[in-house]
Amino acid sequence: MNGKAVMVLGTTSGAGKSWLATALCRWYARQGLKVAPFKAQNMSNNARVVPGLNGLMGEIGSAQYFQALAANRIPEVRMNPVLLKPEADTQSQVVVLGEVDPALCNVPWRERSALLKPRARAALHELLRENEVVVIEGAGSPAEINLAPSDYVNLGTARDSRAACLLVTDIDRGGAFAHLYGTHQLMPEDVRAQVKGFVLNRFRGDAGLLSPGPELLERMTGVPTIATLPMWRGHGLPEEDGVFDDASTGHAGSGLRIAVVAYPRISNLDEFQPLRQLSGVRLSWAREPRDLQGADWIILPGSKSTAADLAWLRAQKLDLAINAHRGRVLGICGGLQMLGEALIDTHGVDGNAPGLGLLPLVTAFEPEKLLRSTEFSFASSLDGGWQALAGVKASGYEIRHGRTQPHAGLPPPQVALRNAAGEAVGWQSGQVLGVYAHGLFEQPAVLKALFGQSGRSLDAVFDGLADFIDLHFQAGRLAGLID
């Protein structure tokens, strides 16, 4: 191994591991070092299409995708060798090095971990040989003593990489010192020795009031608290564990309200992050009909289980509210499929269901998942409120099992969007638009056409994160982690 490893562990899910790892990627890259991110196993329905093995395209968790960009690297599948995409409470699609492995989907957890560990370990060692620094993100907590023997994601990765570990906690939730102390004490002794610093995240108020807590904690554990990070909601990076704890975001009293339907298996919600930062736009999350009242736009986002989420939508009576809506309706990927007349599944991939009937389309699910990054072009003329997109070109990605065609027995909808291969991947009927393209709101040309503004660039977001930790970590600590 040539490279040094810095690992971000958390006392809980949502403690701040993902954004801190992203900040570290940019900070070390700005020191002139060759940096790569790594997370042995991610559980998320937020995924991106990246270069895979043997010239194919694969998928990784969005967090590692953004971390790679922060490190000025091209994202690739070794950076997140195992991705679990939840389809139900007790079932996940297993993606290994970018490709779905159907055989592993039904293997019990502990047996599956034993099979996945060698694949993840090999990817880690390759990245360590090829880079000067590998920034590793842990998963959940390293103190899950019931899972410790099979935990290759936190404990196994820390050992294999000999990483200098940071343990971060969300102090805004309360009990931060207990979380840090308890997590540290429950970790195996050898990995515990690798913890080089505690990080208090999302602190509000006067940091001086924390004393003598950090000093007492260091006396009990031997680990210093090396950073107290103030609460910062506007950093601009999508939240790895979702944004739906916020009732709404945007500017109070703003003129345009966009409601995103938050069904249980929502996917790729990170692509809406740019809307959260636009002036004059208010983004809200809808789980029941009253959440759609007063909305100018309704967005049906992607879904990991389209038929099941469509059934949930009907159970909530959101279908009636969507059909009665007179403003713009946008469906993306799974949302597009829901807007059609029917979902047809002869292979047991997703499920059969009648659609909402707002677009004359039929979707059939195929066993093979389609993955591609591509350029998109909107039609030269579009109707209604979507006419501002006419002729706009943008890049994005497709990630789907569905194949959609116009309904043979109905007048065809207008083709609104084509990919680089010339295939129709978007259709429009009046105020309703459905597209297979993910990532459109991350494109300045699309934001400019729809909202008259482009938002912050990703580079500006990454530099802001690096500046933030540079300001709030004790001097020399970040460099010291790789000495």
Side-chain angles (χ1 to χ4, degrees):
M1 293 185 292
N2 298 322
K4 300 292 182 65
V6 176
M7 187 169 189
V8 182
L9 301 169
T11 57
T12 61
S13 293
K17 296 186 294 292
S18 294
W19 84 261
L20 180 53
T22 308
L24 291 170
C25 283
R26 176 50 60 100
W27 194 91
Y28 287 116
R30 292 203 311 197
Q31 313 311 306
L33 299 167
K34 186 178 181 183
V35 182
F38 181 80
K39 185 169 185 175
Q41 176 181 289
N42 202 343
M43 179 175 281
S44 177
N45 278 331
N46 297 328
R48 298 286 172 136
V49 177
V50 301
L53 304 179
N54 303 317
L56 302 175
M57 300 302 289
E59 55 182 314
I60 63 173
S62 291
Q64 282 63 62
Y65 172 87
F66 288 115
Q67 288 161 9
L69 296 182
N72 298 317
R73 300 293 297 280
I74 297 174
E76 45 117 330
V77 295
R78 293 181 302 169
M79 296 170 178
N80 177 208
V82 180
L83 174 62
L84 306 181
K85 306 187 77 172
E87 297 176 314
D89 288 345
T90 58
Q91 182 177 342
S92 295
Q93 186 180 70
V94 181
V95 180
V96 183
L97 290 170
E99 299 181 18
V100 176
D101 189 329
L104 286 175
C105 295
N106 296 316
V107 175
W109 177 267
R110 286 180 171 82
E111 295 176 30
R112 188 167 68 191
S113 293
L115 297 172
L116 292 171
K117 178 179 178 178
R119 309 289 295 276
R121 189 173 187 268
L124 170 63
H125 282 270
E126 288 173 9
L127 291 176
L128 284 167
R129 284 194 296 269
E130 297 168 14
N131 295 276
E132 294 171 283
V133 179
V134 176
V135 176
I136 302 170
E137 180 186 340
S141 164
E144 305 289 358
I145 55 177
N146 56 316
L147 301 176
S150 58
D151 179 12
Y152 71 91
V153 184
N154 293 305
L155 305 180
T157 299
R159 289 176 175 128
D160 283 340
S161 64
R162 301 177 185 176
C165 297
L166 298 174
L167 183 60
V168 58
T169 192
D170 181 357
I171 195 171
D172 191 53
R173 295 185 180 185
F177 293 121
H179 284 162
L180 290 169
Y181 180 78
T183 301
H184 183 264
Q185 293 302 296
L186 285 175
M187 292 169 65
E189 185 176 356
D190 61 329
V191 180
R192 190 190 312 156
Q194 294 178 234
V195 177
K196 304 304 180 184
F198 294 142
V199 177
L200 299 173
N201 188 30
R202 302 191 184 109
F203 180 72
R204 306 172 192 255
D206 179 4
L209 297 177
L210 292 171
S211 186
E215 294 81 6
L216 293 173
L217 188 62
E218 182 174 2
R219 191 179 306 165
M220 290 185 287
T221 64
V223 179
T225 297
I226 63 174
T228 300
L229 306 176
M231 176 67 75
W232 185 22
R233 295 191 182 278
H235 52 67
L237 193 70
E239 296 289 345
E240 169 68 2
D241 294 318
V243 297
F244 297 107
D245 289 339
D246 299 332
S248 61
T249 60
H251 299 264
S254 56
L256 182 68
R257 183 182 160 203
I258 300 175
V260 181
V261 179
Y263 19 76
R265 299 301 170 194
I266 187 172
S267 68
N268 298 82
L269 59 84
D270 52 295
E271 65 184 311
F272 303 117
Q273 176 66 28
L275 298 181
R276 293 159 58 89
Q277 303 173 58
L278 294 179
S279 175
V281 174
R282 188 166 180 79
L283 192 70
S284 61
W285 313 101
R287 295 188 181 90
E288 51 188 274
R290 67 179 181 179
D291 297 333
L292 298 180
Q293 293 174 6
D296 298 292
W297 294 20
I298 296 174
I299 296 180
L300 277 66
S303 167
K304 189 63 188 70
S305 299
T306 305
D309 278 346
L310 184 53
W312 171 89
L313 187 147
R314 285 195 163 101
Q316 303 298 112
K317 301 193 182 320
L318 282 162
D319 58 325
L320 302 178
I322 293 168
N323 277 275
H325 183 65
R326 292 296 171 259
R328 281 185 261 186
V329 177
L330 172 64
I332 302 174
C333 198
L336 156 67
Q337 297 164 359
M338 294 181 191
L339 291 173
E341 295 289 337
L343 306 176
I344 300 174
D345 185 6
T346 60
H347 301 284
V349 174
D350 191 292
N352 299 285
L356 297 175
L358 291 176
L359 288 173
L361 303 169
V362 176
T363 296
F365 293 105
E366 298 292 337
E368 182 181 357
K369 184 184 288 189
L370 191 156
L371 299 170
R372 56 189 174 194
S373 296
T374 186
E375 301 294 318
F376 298 98
S377 299
F378 282 94
S380 57
S381 62
L382 294 173
D383 300 331
W386 300 109
Q387 58 188 330
L389 289 171
V392 170
K393 299 183 185 299
S395 59
Y397 59 102
E398 298 173 61
I399 179 168
R400 55 190 170 95
H401 286 277
R403 310 293 193 269
T404 299
Q405 298 292 334
H407 191 291
L410 296 172
Q414 178 180 354
V415 174
L417 188 69
R418 294 186 183 275
N419 60 21
E423 299 172 291
V425 289
W427 297 266
Q428 184 203 2
S429 179
Q431 294 281 69
V432 181
L433 172 66
V435 299
Y436 266 125
H438 286 290
L440 291 178
F441 292 128
E442 297 167 352
Q443 301 297 305
V446 172
L447 294 180
K448 190 73 172 177
L450 291 173
F451 308 105
Q453 52 188 308
S454 299
R456 294 164 63 189
S457 70
L458 276 174
D459 264 332
V461 170
F462 298 145
D463 282 333
L465 293 173
D467 290 341
F468 186 74
I469 62 171
D470 190 64
L471 177 63
H472 293 290
F473 268 73
Q474 292 176 358
R477 291 289 191 178
L478 294 175
L481 292 173
I482 59 171
D483 283 346

